[in-house]
Amino acid sequence: MQQLYYKYQDQYKSNFKLAYPVVISQLGHVAVAIADSIIIGQKTGSDVSLAAVALGNSIFTLFMVTGIGISYGLTPLIAQENGRKNKAECGKLLASSLKINIVTGLILFAIIFSGVYLIQYLNQPVEVARQAKPFLGLLGFSIIPLMVFLTFKQFTEGLGFTKQAMNITIWGNLINILVGVTLVFGLFGIKPMGVIGVGIATLTDRILMAIAMGIYVFRSQRFKEYLQEFRFKLFSWADSKQILGIGIPVALQYIFEVSAFSGAAIMIGWLGAKELAAHQIALSMASLTFMMASGISAAAGIKTGNYFGQQNYKELRFSAIASYHMVIAFMLTTAFIFTVFNHFLPSLYINNKEVINIAAGLLIIAAFFQLFDGMQVVGLGILRGMGDVKIPTAITLTAYWIIGIPLGYYFGFKLNMGVDGVWWALLLGLLVAAVLLFIRFQVLTRKLERTMPKAELDRFS
């Protein structure tokens, strides 16, 4: 038993060392939306402007996570090849991923730009839709530099170098806040720009982050041996197929979950601007903890990929289960914070008492469902590290769109539970996903251990 304790203790330490920079980097994605909401809420005090930011971010998030999913196809492949000591292959994979992600960014921008004019048909309040249009357009353009940044971020993290992306993300978000406050409040003689101001700030932030991350990868000596086969002009269908073979299912996993929350935002918009603003506040808090959990998930995927490449399946299980322990402990801590400070946290966004009261009730529900949210995202990360993406994709589709959204409509509108009913339904979807993904992990890893030759098991014991 003592030996088992020390095994997990070692995994906790190594997982945490790898995870905390990824956690901070992941926070950068949602911190932009949180900063936008706080700046607008404090400047205008308007539930309409806050709802416009909520609507724009809800729609954009669907496309952003699609891009994140596609970019993630690189990470487990880099981790596996690094585990096999195939360093030259890592540079080839980076070149293919960069081309894929630039094209993906251009496609997503074109879709978002075209879809801006469809907002008015989502049955949202007229003024909310009017303010959301230009904001969404600016967010759409920012996805191109974001995809470049993600390419280099996934490459370095796949190799276990996670701190530089964290540092660049921190600086990027500080720039986003400074530019956002300057443009929204109209400092230094600039005319106050309102919602458009936070859109320009986000675009500026992401362009600078992409440039900084690219310079880091190509200038750093630690990556020279990995970049010997990097040829941007050459096209490798085999490498691209590998990346997309993981990236597309991962993108679908993100799409199924985030689109469920975007669909929930649209349904809640039918209830009114105050309900939508409260939903955005509570969701931004839950998104904050989710992105931190997804950082643990990304680290778990990197460790899993390395152990999988080494065929060290016993250590793979120890590392994976340690990641489950970590995310459960973290989510229980934040659940306590959400419960105790459920009225204080929404007051950071807006002074409207009615919106704060609605959001406070949602944070109590979020305290429960984020535990399952953390478990399911870590389960997905572990399975991705092993290259298992198809069955998990089917699980996410079932959990969110066969269970979550239909029950959300039924609870919210047929049972007249309103916004609370929609959130309880989402909780049930997350619970189903968490349980099924853990079962999948147990089945696969037990199977790997059974098929591994005894000599190999002894070597890693």
Side-chain angles (χ1 to χ4, degrees):
M1 181 63 71
Q2 190 175 21
Q3 186 180 7
L4 184 63
Y5 168 76
Y6 285 121
K7 274 281 188 181
Y8 278 122
Q9 188 180 47
D10 290 342
Q11 291 294 346
Y12 295 146
K13 290 179 180 178
S14 61
N15 284 9
F16 179 79
K17 185 178 180 180
L18 186 63
Y20 87 84
V22 184
V23 167
I24 295 173
S25 298
Q26 295 289 75
L27 278 175
H29 299 307
V30 69
V32 171
I34 291 175
D36 291 347
S37 297
I38 291 175
I39 291 168
I40 286 296
Q42 291 298 324
K43 167 60 179 175
T44 66
S46 167
D47 56 353
V48 171
S49 294
L50 189 57
V53 171
L55 181 61
N57 276 317
S58 294
I59 295 171
F60 175 75
T61 298
L62 177 61
F63 296 96
M64 181 180 74
V65 298
T66 301
I68 292 173
I70 294 294
S71 74
Y72 191 84
L74 178 65
T75 310
L77 295 175
I78 292 292
Q80 291 173 18
E81 294 299 337
N82 194 36
R84 300 180 185 116
K85 309 299 182 184
N86 294 335
K87 295 182 178 180
E89 182 62 25
C90 293
K92 292 169 62 180
L93 287 167
L94 173 62
S96 295
S97 179
L98 184 58
K99 288 191 281 285
I100 289 170
N101 291 338
I102 290 173
V103 171
T104 299
L106 290 170
I107 292 171
L108 292 175
F109 165 64
I111 295 171
I112 295 169
F113 187 76
S114 301
V116 163
Y117 300 99
L118 300 178
I119 289 180
Q120 63 198 59
Y121 299 108
L122 295 178
N123 198 25
Q124 302 296 300
V126 175
E127 185 59 22
V128 170
R130 187 189 69 79
Q131 292 189 35
K133 285 181 182 180
F135 175 63
L136 181 57
L138 288 164
L139 290 183
F141 189 64
S142 77
I143 203 166
I144 299 172
L146 177 62
M147 291 303 297
V148 175
F149 168 78
L150 287 171
T151 306
F152 296 117
K153 174 179 179 290
Q154 305 294 12
F155 172 73
T156 57
E157 289 181 354
L159 294 173
F161 299 104
T162 57
K163 289 186 178 180
Q164 191 62 27
M166 173 192 74
N167 293 331
I168 290 173
T169 300
I170 291 171
W171 281 106
N173 279 278
L174 288 174
I175 290 170
N176 178 62
I177 292 170
L178 291 173
V179 176
V181 169
T182 299
L183 298 181
V184 171
F185 284 78
L187 304 181
F188 309 112
I190 298 173
K191 182 180 178 181
M193 296 184 181
V195 172
I196 294 177
V198 292
I200 294 173
T202 299
L203 175 60
T204 304
D205 157 35
R206 287 173 176 159
I207 290 172
L208 294 175
M209 286 173 62
I211 294 171
M213 200 67 198
I215 291 173
Y216 166 64
V217 169
F218 288 116
R219 292 286 181 89
S220 177
Q221 289 297 319
R222 64 179 52 167
F223 301 121
K224 292 294 184 183
E225 57 186 340
Y226 294 99
L227 297 175
Q228 292 178 7
E229 297 296 324
F230 179 89
R231 302 288 187 276
F232 183 75
K233 293 182 179 180
L234 297 180
F235 178 77
S236 171
W237 173 246
D239 288 341
S240 299
K241 188 176 180 181
Q242 281 191 87
I243 294 167
L244 291 173
I246 295 176
I248 290 175
V250 172
L252 289 173
Q253 292 166 12
Y254 281 131
I255 288 170
F256 293 147
E257 180 175 3
V258 174
S259 64
F261 282 92
S262 296
I266 291 172
M267 285 194 291
I268 291 167
W270 300 340
L271 298 170
K274 287 182 172 61
E275 286 81 1
L276 183 58
H279 167 78
Q280 170 62 14
I281 291 170
L283 185 59
S284 69
M285 290 283 101
S287 297
L288 186 67
T289 59
F290 168 79
M291 293 307 289
M292 295 176 78
S294 71
I296 299 174
S297 169
I302 294 165
K303 290 284 292 293
T304 299
N306 268 289
Y307 288 132
F308 189 80
Q310 298 168 14
Q311 295 186 323
N312 186 348
Y313 304 130
K314 289 189 70 174
E315 208 67 28
L316 187 157
R317 276 187 59 83
F318 276 118
S319 175
I321 292 173
S323 295
Y324 268 113
H325 293 167
M326 290 170 66
V327 81
I328 290 171
F330 171 72
M331 286 305 201
L332 286 174
T333 302
T334 55
F336 175 78
I337 294 171
F338 280 7
T339 302
V340 174
F341 299 103
N342 66 316
H343 280 86
F344 169 73
L345 292 172
S347 69
L348 297 174
Y349 289 77
I350 198 168
N351 295 320
N352 188 306
K353 289 185 177 180
E354 190 173 352
V355 173
I356 290 173
N357 287 333
I358 298 170
L362 295 180
L363 282 178
I364 298 297
I365 302 173
F368 289 96
F369 88 58
Q370 67 173 344
L371 176 63
F372 305 118
D373 204 10
M375 291 178 64
Q376 66 86 25
V377 75
V378 164
L380 286 170
I382 292 165
L383 293 171
R384 290 167 192 162
M386 292 187 284
D388 181 52
V389 290
K390 292 182 180 179
I391 297 298
T393 301
I395 289 173
T396 56
L397 174 62
T398 301
Y400 305 126
W401 279 99
I402 296 179
I403 295 174
I405 285 297
L407 283 181
Y409 180 79
Y410 182 72
F411 290 170
F413 297 91
K414 297 299 182 180
L415 298 184
N416 295 317
M417 293 173 66
V419 63
D420 287 356
V422 176
W423 274 61
W424 281 115
L426 293 173
L427 182 150
L428 291 176
L430 291 167
L431 170 61
V432 170
V435 171
L436 293 180
L437 290 168
F438 183 73
I439 292 172
R440 177 68 176 169
F441 157 72
Q442 291 282 20
V443 169
L444 280 185
T445 53
R446 293 300 186 191
K447 183 178 179 181
L448 286 171
E449 286 190 332
R450 285 196 304 269
T451 57
M452 190 175 183
K454 186 178 184 305
E456 289 294 302
L457 281 173
D458 292 340
R459 182 163 69 90
F460 291 118
S461 295

